Amino acid sequence: MGKAISISSEYTADEVRAFAKSSSDVTQCRRLLAIAAIRDGASRSEAAKVGGVQLQTLRDWVLRFNEHGPDGLQDRKAPGASPKLGADHQAALVQLLEDGPNLDKHGVVRWRLQDLVAWSKSELSVSLSEVTMGRVLKRLGYSHISARPQHYAQEEQVIEEFKKFC
């Protein structure tokens, strides 16, 4: 069995407990208390029981504590998946939107999400859903505004009379 990784002597057990007490993050507090137990001379198995974890997890906490101090034991945000449309793809999409649709070239008179999804699949070789395309457009600053349709039988005289009462 290998030798246990030593904990940074920069902080005493009482200082580590003080960090745990001042922390509002429950998981960070639990991790700091396990580190404090080790600093007090408890075995790694006992410290793992304090933290409610296995020895391997405790070892990972010790490494994070040594590298980043008490702040290293906070939960880190997962990076998530990288976006399917990179910066160059987004620039091409913005250019397409700014130029507007061409009936001869694109076969549409106005852009709909399904049209943009089909365009991205054929031109950019990127397959997106309509929901994802809508999110991309919103992030790029575009809104879903469509002209209000006018009924074919709408009469100008009726509109003017209605305006008088409003």
Side-chain angles (χ1 to χ4, degrees):
M1 182 153 191
K3 185 181 175 210
I5 297 171
S6 62
I7 296 179
S8 171
S9 60
E10 186 176 344
Y11 302 100
T12 66
D14 292 333
E15 291 173 332
V16 173
R17 281 194 184 82
F19 284 123
K21 187 175 182 179
S22 66
S23 174
S24 61
D25 185 5
V26 177
T27 55
Q28 180 190 21
C29 181
R30 181 172 50 101
R31 294 167 184 158
L32 287 169
L33 290 175
I35 298 293
I38 295 171
R39 295 290 297 150
D40 278 339
S43 70
R44 298 292 168 122
S45 298
E46 293 169 350
K49 286 181 186 176
V50 168
V53 294
Q54 299 287 323
L55 285 172
Q56 179 63 47
T57 305
L58 180 66
R59 177 188 175 278
D60 296 340
W61 290 354
V62 169
L63 291 174
R64 285 171 54 186
F65 182 79
N66 287 342
E67 188 173 343
H68 303 289
D71 292 335
L73 295 178
Q74 290 178 336
D75 282 338
R76 295 175 286 191
K77 185 176 178 180
S82 59
K84 288 186 176 183
L85 290 180
D88 54 339
H89 291 148
Q90 289 180 14
L93 178 63
V94 167
Q95 186 63 42
L96 179 77
L97 293 172
E98 293 297 326
D99 292 344
N102 183 344
L103 182 60
D104 297 330
K105 184 177 179 183
H106 302 112
V108 295
V109 293
R110 68 180 177 95
W111 290 121
R112 299 175 298 170
L113 288 176
Q114 64 187 17
D115 300 325
L116 294 173
V117 166
W119 174 83
S120 71
K121 189 169 187 175
S122 66
E123 297 294 323
L124 305 175
S125 302
V126 176
S127 179
L128 299 172
S129 68
E130 289 182 25
V131 172
T132 304
M133 181 60 78
R135 288 181 186 146
V136 168
L137 293 176
K138 186 173 183 178
R139 190 171 53 246
L140 291 173
Y142 291 95
S143 62
H144 178 74
I145 297 177
S146 180
R148 186 175 211 179
Q150 183 175 359
H151 192 273
Y152 66 92
Q154 192 172 17
E155 298 178 15
E156 289 292 325
Q157 182 182 5
V158 175
I159 294 173
E160 293 301 321
E161 288 179 19
F162 179 76
K163 287 181 181 178
K164 290 178 185 177
F165 292 108
C166 291

